[in-house]
Amino acid sequence: MDGGALQIKDGQFFGVENTCDLTNPTPVRDMNATLFDMICSAEGESYSERILIAHTENGVVTLSSDGYANQLTRCGQ
């Protein structure tokens, strides 16, 4: 559902009803960001895309290859 919890941990991105392996990390020069290939599975289907993950003071910003940007806020530990 929209607004559900997301997690990035141990080389995986866990979304709402999907899981993606983050592969081929490429640091982006002069930014606190890394570009990844994502190999995902959701509802019995597989797909791949590129994603940029940039660290922010409160969490991370993700920018996917399909043009969507999301700001994720870090949960309390």
Side-chain angles (χ1 to χ4, degrees):
M1 74 179 165
D2 288 339
L6 306 174
Q7 181 180 36
I8 299 171
K9 183 178 180 180
D10 298 331
Q12 291 189 303
F13 185 100
F14 299 92
V16 178
E17 298 184 15
N18 71 338
T19 301
C20 302
D21 292 322
L22 299 172
T23 64
N24 300 322
T26 304
V28 179
R29 187 176 52 212
D30 299 329
M31 291 181 65
N32 192 12
T34 305
L35 183 63
F36 294 94
D37 291 322
M38 286 197 327
I39 311 299
C40 304
S41 59
E43 299 180 5
E45 299 290 323
S46 293
Y47 62 96
S48 63
E49 65 179 82
R50 303 273 283 167
I51 187 170
L52 179 75
I53 299 176
H55 294 272
T56 67
E57 189 173 304
N58 298 321
V60 297
V61 171
T62 64
L63 178 61
S64 64
S65 60
D66 59 7
Y68 289 99
N70 296 294
Q71 181 158 351
L72 309 177
T73 303
R74 187 175 291 114
C75 295
Q77 299 287 319

